[in-house]
């Protein structure tokens, strides 16, 4: 099993450009999340999804859009990138049932907006 | 609103000593509390979790304590080793996971 896979791992954008980060998980998890992490900071929730076809806003949703057309994929889009969106982005997935609270993370995608 | 915070941004301990990292949470409806370790340039690594109906759980060299009365969570690392140097995050879960700001643990030789 690959777990949670994020692509691309690195990207440099110019202000105003758009891009999409792809997250894929092969664990049949219902819940998926996108976080951003700025240097020396914690993880802040951007958007999340509790199932295929559903999305919801997290703590810092402005400037981002998401889609969950398939259960295994969760896409994060930036329509018009800004330097403030320079960050490391982590995708994660989990079950909500069962005997573990573990959240499974991808390796991260480092985005630089010039 | 929901928040998870940490009391100490940096903790320095001597190798071989025990480490205690603290965390405060605010949402009484959280069903799980989780600790993660993050090394520089890497993603968060799961350490241990505790369900809200428990007050203590032990793993290999780690113990998590949950005090629901004062909404406090702690991670104890026994016999701290150089490889334990990292940033540690607590998180609380309802249907989403909210993370604290993190504590940097430095292990002194």
């Amino acid at each position: 099993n690959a777990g949670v896979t994020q692509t691309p791992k690195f990207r440099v954008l110019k202000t105003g450009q758009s891009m999409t980060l792809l997250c894929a998980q092969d664990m049949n998890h219902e819940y998926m999340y996108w976080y951003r992490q700025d240097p020396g900071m914690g993880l802040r929730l951007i958007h999340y999804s509790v199932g295929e076809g559903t999305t919801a806003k997290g703590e810092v949703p402005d400037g981002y859009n998401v889609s969950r057309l398939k259960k295994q994929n969760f896409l994060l889009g930036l329509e018009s990138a800004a330097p403030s969106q320079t960050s490391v982005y982590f995708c994660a997935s989990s079950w909500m049932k069962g005997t573990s609270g573990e959240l499974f993370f991808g390796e991260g995608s480092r985005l630089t907006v010039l | 609103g929901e928040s998870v915070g940490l009391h100490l941004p940096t903790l320095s301990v001597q190798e071989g000593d025990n480490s205690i990292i603290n965390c405060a949470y605010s949402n009484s409806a959280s069903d799980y509390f989780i600790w993660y370790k993050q090394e520089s340039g890497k993603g968060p690594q799961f350490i241990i979790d505790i369900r809200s109906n428990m007050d203590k759980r032990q793993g290999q060299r780690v113990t998590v304590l949950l005090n629901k009365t004062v909404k406090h969570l702690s991670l104890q690392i026994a016999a701290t080793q150089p490889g334990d140097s990292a940033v540690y995050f607590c998180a609380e879960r309802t249907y989403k996971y909210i993370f604290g700001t993190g504590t940097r643990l430095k292990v002194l030789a």
Side-chain angles (χ1 to χ4, degrees):
Chain A
N1 284 346
V4 180
T5 304
Q6 295 180 227
T7 52
K9 292 191 170 39
F10 300 93
R11 185 74 187 269
V12 178
L13 288 177
K14 294 181 179 179
T15 298
Q17 287 185 318
S18 63
M19 74 157 297
T20 300
L21 294 176
L22 172 63
C23 177
Q25 53 94 3
D26 60 3
M27 296 172 281
N28 202 33
H29 288 164
E30 288 291 337
Y31 289 66
M32 297 188 73
Y33 309 84
W34 276 107
Y35 291 88
R36 63 175 287 174
Q37 186 176 33
D38 300 322
M41 301 285 288
L43 294 146
R44 292 185 293 170
L45 182 62
I46 305 171
H47 287 281
Y48 64 100
S49 168
V50 302
E52 181 179 318
T54 72
T55 63
K57 294 180 179 179
E59 301 169 282
V60 288
D62 294 343
Y64 305 95
N65 57 75
V66 288
S67 64
R68 183 99 180 268
L69 299 179
K70 294 183 178 180
K71 186 177 183 179
Q72 64 268 34
N73 295 336
F74 195 29
L75 278 64
L76 177 71
L78 285 72
E79 291 185 347
S80 180
S84 61
Q85 294 178 304
T86 294
S87 190
V88 179
Y89 291 85
F90 288 100
C91 177
S93 68
S94 73
W95 284 293
M96 275 296 148
K97 301 176 183 178
T99 59
S100 171
E102 184 173 357
L103 182 63
F104 294 80
F105 282 91
E107 295 182 350
S109 297
R110 185 175 297 276
L111 174 65
T112 301
V113 183
L114 303 176
Chain B
E2 300 169 67
S3 65
V4 176
L6 292 173
H7 299 159
L8 300 174
T10 303
L11 177 66
S12 298
V13 298
Q14 288 294 136
E15 181 179 353
D17 287 352
N18 296 335
S19 302
I20 300 176
I21 301 172
N22 296 303
C23 177
Y25 68 92
S26 62
N27 192 338
S28 299
S30 296
D31 65 341
Y32 270 98
F33 301 89
I34 310 103
W35 283 100
Y36 280 87
K37 173 185 180 183
Q38 188 176 29
E39 297 174 311
S40 182
K42 297 184 179 180
Q45 176 188 358
F46 174 83
I47 302 173
I48 191 168
D49 62 6
I50 186 168
R51 200 163 184 169
S52 59
N53 61 355
M54 302 171 65
D55 52 21
K56 181 179 181 179
R57 190 175 185 203
Q58 290 183 297
Q60 188 174 9
R61 281 201 308 118
V62 295
T63 300
V64 56
L65 299 178
L66 177 63
N67 186 330
K68 291 182 286 293
T69 302
V70 295
K71 295 183 180 177
H72 184 266
L73 184 70
S74 68
L75 177 70
Q76 300 178 2
I77 304 174
T80 309
Q81 302 170 358
D84 295 327
S85 292
V87 177
Y88 290 79
F89 295 97
C90 65
E92 60 177 329
R93 184 186 93 169
T94 51
Y95 46 88
K96 56 186 178 181
Y97 293 75
I98 300 298
F99 285 79
T101 54
T103 292
R104 182 174 301 279
L105 177 64
K106 293 185 177 180
V107 181
L108 308 173

